[in-house]
């Protein structure tokens, strides 16, 4: 009987340890997500060279927590970039499901894409650097987002809403060029210009 009781106690301890481990992992994931969102927001206002203490403060965590997840500034920049690319990539299929039409889904996605581009203060210079880890980000960006844009264009073409002669990469480059003015002119409305571009894709009645 004593052995049975000991086994039961040991099992409860194991279950408790497993529960504690799962809880810690959940907290760690939540902290990481909060840090990424805070860093993205701080980068918008202060650029990628913003003090990390500002990011930790906005996330409501200590510097130790930030450095456990992102030991270097490069680690943090790369993580924020990849996180936002993934958010933009995941938005495409979701918009096709929820938008009133494929063209409207494309328009909303391009608006998100513009937001992604114009909020990367200082990131372009970082991506052009020779620091380890940055060299693959542009390829990652294209590999994830060009197929999403192509899917949206294909859906709009299949619905007879847009012209046939525009490729995803061409459209994305055009939108990117329209966003350049936002880097130096706070009154420059890149979203408005991109919206005009997307409206121009419509087939003539």
């Amino acid at each position: 009987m004593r052995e049975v009781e000991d086994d039961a106690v040991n099992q409860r301890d194991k279950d408790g340890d497993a529960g504690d481990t799962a809880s810690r992992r959940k907290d760690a994931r939540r902290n990481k997500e909060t840090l990424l969102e805070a860093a993205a927001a701080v980068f918008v206002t202060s650029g990628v060279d913003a003090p990390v203490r500002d990011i930790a403060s906005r996330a409501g965590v200590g510097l130790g927590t930030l450095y456990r997840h992102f030991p270097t500034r490069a680690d943090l920049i790369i993580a924020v970039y990849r996180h936002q690319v993934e958010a933009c990539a995941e938005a495409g299929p979701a918009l096709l499901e929820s938008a009133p039409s494929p063209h409207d889904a494309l328009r909303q996605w391009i608006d998100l894409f513009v937001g992604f581009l114009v909020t990367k203060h200082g990131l372009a210079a970082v991506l052009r650097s020779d620091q380890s880890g940055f060299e693959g980000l542009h390829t990652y960006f294209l590999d994830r987002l060009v197929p999403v844009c192509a899917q949206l264009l294909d859906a709009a073409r299949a619905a007879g809403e847009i012209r046939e002669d525009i490729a995803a990469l061409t459209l994305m480059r055009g939108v990117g060029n329209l966003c350049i003015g936002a880097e130096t002119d706070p009154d420059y409305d890149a979203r408005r210009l991109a919206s005009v571009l997307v409206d121009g894709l419509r087939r003539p009645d």
Side-chain angles (χ1 to χ4, degrees), residues 95 98-110 152 156 161 198 202:
L95 287 170
S98 63
S101 70
H103 182 269
D104 195 62
L106 175 65
R107 182 187 56 76
Q108 291 183 53
W109 188 83
I110 290 294
L152 290 158
E161 295 180 309
V198 174
R202 281 192 175 277

Side-chain angles (χ1 to χ4, degrees), residues 60-190:
V61 302
L63 282 174
T65 298
L66 187 152
Y67 283 121
R68 276 196 298 275
H69 288 289
F70 311 107
T72 69
R73 182 180 295 274
D75 293 329
L76 179 59
I77 292 171
I78 290 169
V80 168
Y81 185 85
R82 293 176 69 92
H83 180 69
Q84 295 198 315
V85 167
E86 285 302 312
C88 201
E90 292 170 2
L95 287 170
L96 278 176
E97 290 289 330
S98 63
S101 70
H103 182 269
D104 195 62
L106 175 65
R107 182 187 56 76
Q108 291 183 53
W109 188 83
I110 290 294
D111 189 68
L112 290 174
F113 181 59
V114 170
F116 171 80
L117 294 177
V118 301
T119 58
K120 300 296 172 288
H121 301 304
L123 184 59
V126 171
L127 294 177
R128 288 193 295 268
S129 76
D130 59 0
Q131 286 183 258
S132 175
F134 292 121
E135 63 274 2
L137 284 182
H138 185 64
T139 299
Y140 171 75
F141 166 86
L142 294 177
D143 287 347
R144 290 294 289 128
L145 297 188
V146 172
V148 175
C149 186
Q151 180 185 18
L152 290 158
L153 285 170
D154 288 344
R157 275 193 288 263
E161 295 180 309
I162 65 170
R163 53 196 294 173
E164 300 284 340
D165 59 344
I166 186 74
L169 185 56
T170 301
L171 176 59
M172 291 171 64
R173 282 175 172 165
V175 172
N177 287 334
L178 289 175
C179 292
I180 292 174
E183 296 179 4
T184 56
D185 183 355
D187 295 324
Y188 186 90
D189 193 347

